Amino acid sequence: MASASDSFERAASVLGANWTVVSGSWTVAASRANQVTAGGSFRSANYTATGPATNNYYSAASMRSDGPARGAGVRVRGSSTAQTDYRYVGYGGDSFYLSYLSAGTETILATGGTCTSSTLYYILLSASGSAISASVNGASDAT
């Protein structure tokens, strides 16, 4: 599977040249990306430096959600123009959710384990053929 990465280990700034902001306002601070726009809708930024060669790839991140009103996660098979993708998002004080977003409308496909507020997790969302699967800290969590 193809992969690309960004550790965000740089001075506080905007996301950088390898990113395209789809919605929201984003900054980099303390070696992490932060979405800082208030409101109750999806915000996303796409890593666009290296596009996947096929539809079989994964997206992974170390993430932390500060509470149920602000989720953090990863996405695969996304379109920046149609707001269509698969997402795996954790909401602190709630759970992780595997969902499909089509033209801005979300369908929850599976509910994963508990997401504790302000806890650092390593999450991975994999797309291989017709299978979409997610893991937290190396353990399978949702398919």
Side-chain angles (χ1 to χ4, degrees), residues 24-140:
S25 180
W26 295 80
T27 64
V28 171
S31 297
R32 69 179 189 166
N34 299 288
Q35 194 290 118
V36 295
T37 305
S41 62
F42 289 105
R43 311 289 184 202
S44 63
N46 299 333
Y47 188 81
T48 53
T50 305
T54 71
N55 274 337
N56 299 324
Y57 64 97
Y58 68 89
S59 180
S62 293
M63 58 75 66
R64 173 177 47 224
S65 171
D66 296 329
R70 187 165 296 196
V74 293
R75 58 195 288 257
V76 295
R77 294 189 180 161
S79 166
S80 61
T81 57
Q83 278 199 317
T84 299
D85 56 38
Y86 290 92
R87 296 173 179 221
Y88 189 61
V89 179
Y91 295 90
D94 190 0
S95 297
F96 287 93
Y97 294 91
L98 176 60
S99 63
Y100 178 67
L101 189 71
S102 178
T105 301
E106 179 185 39
T107 301
I108 295 175
L109 303 175
T111 301
T114 300
C115 179
T116 304
S117 290
S118 300
T119 299
L120 188 63
Y121 294 96
Y122 178 78
I123 61 173
L124 184 140
L125 181 60
S126 176
S128 182
S130 62
I132 305 293
S133 60
S135 65
V136 176
N137 295 333
S140 179

